[in-house]
């Protein structure tokens, strides 16, 4: 089994910054994509940012220039640095990763439990 442990959420004023972390552990041979999604009340879950094993990144238009996703492959950890936060960034943020278990050809999709980010105006 694979576990994802998220940290770093909280309450911040508009214009402030937060850094989310997600550590992946367990039965892992390799980790493919690592990503952050978010879900605001009454809205669908949306992709915020993703980073491939080689380091290429993808961002939602709404966060480009403000958020930065990075990963430490040695620690199996993905980060989301969030700057210039806006009230509309308020949501539960979920870590998501695609993992290849040892001795298999398949890839499994895992989600974290979510961490609340609240941005006050």
């Amino acid at each position: 089994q694979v576990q994802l442990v998220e940290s770093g959420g909280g309450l911040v004023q508009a214009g402030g910054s937060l850094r989310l972390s997600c550590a992946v552990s367990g039965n892992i041979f390799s980790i493919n994509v690592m990503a952050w999604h978010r879900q605001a009340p009454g809205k669908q879950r949306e992709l915020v940012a993703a980073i491939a094993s080689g380091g290429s990144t993808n961002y939602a238009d709404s966060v480009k220039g403000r958020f930065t996703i990075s990963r430490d492959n040695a620690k199996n950890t993905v980060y989301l640095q969030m700057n210039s936060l806006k009230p509309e960034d308020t949501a539960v943020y979920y870590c998501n990763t695609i993992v290849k278990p040892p001795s298999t050809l398949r890839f499994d999709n895992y989600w974290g439990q979510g961490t609340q980010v609240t941005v006050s105006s």
Side-chain angles (χ1 to χ4, degrees), residues 35-39 45-48 92-96 111:
W36 290 95
H37 300 247
R38 68 185 180 188
Q39 187 166 19
R45 189 173 298 189
E46 62 174 354
L47 175 67
V48 176
V92 177
Y93 283 70
Y94 296 92
C95 177
N96 169 233
W111 292 87

Side-chain angles (χ1 to χ4, degrees), residues 57-72:
T57 58
N58 184 40
Y59 295 93
D61 288 342
S62 59
V63 306
K64 283 181 181 177
R66 300 189 297 122
F67 291 10
T68 302
I69 190 170
S70 61
R71 63 191 283 173
D72 184 334

Side-chain angles (χ1 to χ4, degrees), residues 3-81:
Q3 296 80 40
L4 281 67
V5 178
E6 301 161 343
S7 61
L11 173 65
V12 65
Q13 288 189 332
S17 298
L18 283 174
R19 188 191 194 209
L20 305 182
S21 300
C22 174
V24 183
S25 62
N27 194 31
I28 300 167
F29 176 75
S30 64
I31 298 177
N32 192 343
V33 175
M34 305 182 86
W36 290 95
H37 300 247
R38 68 185 180 188
Q39 187 166 19
K43 295 188 176 181
Q44 289 189 330
R45 189 173 298 189
E46 62 174 354
L47 175 67
V48 176
I51 183 167
S53 56
S56 59
T57 58
N58 184 40
Y59 295 93
D61 288 342
S62 59
V63 306
K64 283 181 181 177
R66 300 189 297 122
F67 291 10
T68 302
I69 190 170
S70 61
R71 63 191 283 173
D72 184 334
N73 291 327
K75 296 181 179 180
N76 289 342
T77 299
V78 61
Y79 306 96
L80 185 67
Q81 178 66 44

Side-chain angles (χ1 to χ4, degrees), residues 30-33 98-101 104-110:
S30 64
I31 298 177
N32 192 343
V33 175
I98 297 175
V99 170
K100 184 180 183 299
T104 72
L105 297 178
R106 74 175 193 271
F107 288 86
D108 297 332
N109 192 28
Y110 292 95

Side-chain angles (χ1 to χ4, degrees), residues 12-17 84-87 118-121:
V12 65
Q13 288 189 332
S17 298
S84 302
L85 282 160
K86 305 175 181 180
T118 303
V119 184
S120 63
S121 56

